[in-house]
Amino acid sequence: MFFGKYFIYKRTVNWNKAGINIRLKWFKDAHFPFPKVAACTCNNKTLEIIKSNGKTYNFDLSDIHYRDRAKMIGIFQERLPNAQFHNI
């Protein structure tokens, strides 16, 4: 039942104390362990995550409801130090 939402919902965000898994398109997702995130920048429509190995991920948040967007930003603010998270 838990894994069924991957087949039903197009956009999902799962997280725990170790990391976050973001999927905004069908069958394309990205996993980010919080200790391996070097920087995270969020403006009104995009989320940019840079991992410690230098790989950059950009997510378009324009189709995401503002309450869900605020909840995801809250997760990053809670789990990342202030020097790593920037909300523009």
Side-chain angles (χ1 to χ4, degrees):
M1 191 78 172
F2 174 76
F3 296 106
K5 68 181 175 181
Y6 285 107
F7 298 108
I8 297 171
Y9 300 110
K10 182 178 179 181
R11 298 172 188 95
T12 60
V13 174
N14 299 321
W15 70 279
N16 59 21
K17 65 180 180 179
I20 190 165
N21 190 13
I22 301 173
R23 185 176 80 165
L24 297 179
K25 296 181 181 180
W26 289 103
F27 298 113
K28 184 176 181 182
D29 62 348
H31 177 69
F32 304 101
F34 290 121
K36 293 189 179 186
V37 174
C40 180
T41 304
C42 182
N43 65 15
N44 200 18
K45 300 292 179 187
T46 60
L47 175 69
E48 179 183 34
I49 300 172
I50 302 171
K51 290 178 89 173
S52 58
N53 63 3
K55 195 167 184 181
T56 302
Y57 296 87
N58 290 311
F59 296 100
D60 182 20
L61 301 179
S62 61
D63 294 336
I64 308 300
H65 196 270
Y66 71 92
R67 279 184 266 158
D68 296 332
R69 195 177 327 154
K71 190 183 291 186
M72 186 167 52
I73 290 169
I75 292 169
F76 279 109
Q77 287 176 333
E78 179 183 325
R79 296 291 176 178
L80 295 177
N82 291 334
Q84 292 178 337
F85 182 79
H86 304 287
N87 193 3
I88 300 172

